[in-house]
Amino acid sequence: MNALRRLLRLTVALAPIVVALPVFAADPLDWPNWRGPHGNGISSEKNVPAEWGPDKNVAWKVALPGPAGASPVVWGDQVFLTSVNEAGELLLMAFDTKGKERWKQVVATGNKTARGDEGNSASPSPVTDGKHVWSFMGEGTMACYTVEGKEVWKFNLQDRYGNFSIQFGMSSTPVLDNGVLYIQLIHGEGNPKTREAIVVALDAATSKEIWKVDRPSDAEAENEHSYASATMYDDGKTKMLL
């Protein structure tokens, strides 16, 4: 069964050596980030279910430790997703496409909910290139693991770039492109001293900063905040991070 078809049928029930990452091409039917293989939310899969429910077009379901607003991502026969547990641990989990848990990592602790139950610190979606998977949690931790679950690196963006100040929690998903992670920290007070809003590019293999640019705005207070995830635009002639 093709990867995206498996994803669409997936129902989840609640409760310093610098190396270069090679470029691994996604199968058109893999879903390596929340916007899909081409970053446009469009799938080339055919004959997928148009309807599903508790007992309709569901191949399997598995209970998770707790909720998350993130999208699962798929590469081959692995599904990666985030969750939280009752202890407030923020988890990155891997399942096979038959519903069996392969591994689970505690990425961070200190989950916070937004407006009761509208979101939590596991809201950003993971991203994968088929060899590694990256997870960003709303309390600031960014981590890289192999697809077998071994930690490669981990750090907290707040320690490097200043405290987050965003009313309903950090929810932006990083963009992975050509071995570079792009992250928007547009919330007006990313650095309490300078009140800067920034966009950063990190080496996905090492977490080292490649560049950081200011994103100025004449907005005030919470109107400075952005909850949006960036996306990569490429029409073959022009390439831009939006």
Side-chain angles (χ1 to χ4, degrees):
M1 191 183 298
N2 290 323
L4 185 57
R5 185 177 301 163
R6 292 192 295 261
L7 175 59
L8 290 174
R9 290 183 179 178
L10 165 65
T11 297
V12 288
L14 286 181
I17 296 177
V18 178
V19 296
L21 281 179
V23 176
F24 298 95
D27 184 289
L29 302 180
D30 287 331
W31 202 261
N33 55 68
W34 80 279
R35 292 284 288 165
H38 305 295
N40 57 9
I42 297 174
S43 168
S44 59
E45 176 64 285
K46 306 295 183 182
N47 302 316
V48 297
E51 298 179 0
W52 59 88
D55 300 306
K56 185 176 184 179
N57 287 327
V58 177
W60 53 266
K61 62 178 71 175
V62 60
L64 296 179
S71 298
V73 297
V74 178
W75 192 290
D77 65 347
Q78 287 212 92
V79 180
F80 304 100
L81 51 84
T82 58
S83 187
V84 301
N85 61 21
E86 292 183 353
E89 293 175 324
L90 300 163
L91 309 174
L92 176 64
M93 305 179 70
F95 292 82
D96 67 22
T97 48
K98 294 182 179 180
K100 181 180 179 180
E101 182 180 320
R102 288 186 170 176
W103 54 263
K104 175 171 59 183
Q105 286 282 6
V106 177
V107 179
T109 59
N111 177 51
K112 292 183 179 179
T113 59
R115 297 213 293 193
D117 63 353
E118 290 188 8
N120 60 29
S121 299
S123 292
S125 299
V127 58
T128 184
D129 66 353
K131 297 294 182 180
H132 296 82
V133 56
W134 292 264
S135 179
F136 175 43
M137 296 299 184
E139 48 69 65
T141 299
M142 185 83 201
C144 173
Y145 299 89
T146 67
V147 292
E148 291 79 26
K150 181 180 179 180
E151 183 181 312
V152 178
W153 54 258
K154 180 163 63 173
F155 77 101
N156 194 294
L157 284 158
Q158 295 196 79
D159 294 337
R160 186 181 292 184
Y161 297 111
N163 295 334
F164 295 164
S165 177
I166 186 163
Q167 187 171 3
F168 302 120
M170 183 64 70
S171 57
S172 177
T173 294
V175 172
L176 175 67
D177 182 72
N178 240 5
V180 180
L181 286 165
Y182 300 93
I183 305 170
Q184 70 93 342
L185 301 176
I186 303 173
H187 43 78
E189 298 173 336
N191 186 321
K193 295 181 180 179
T194 63
R195 292 177 55 83
E196 65 181 349
I198 59 174
V199 179
V200 299
L202 305 177
D203 186 312
T206 66
S207 79
K208 290 187 176 182
E209 181 185 295
I210 298 173
W211 52 255
K212 177 185 73 172
V213 296
D214 292 335
R215 194 274 197 183
S217 171
D218 58 2
E220 295 183 1
E222 68 179 85
N223 296 306
E224 296 174 291
H225 304 169
S226 173
Y227 299 89
S229 296
T231 188
M232 191 66 69
Y233 170 84
D234 187 355
D235 62 9
K237 296 179 180 180
T238 303
K239 191 172 184 178
M240 297 182 291
L241 180 71
L242 304 178

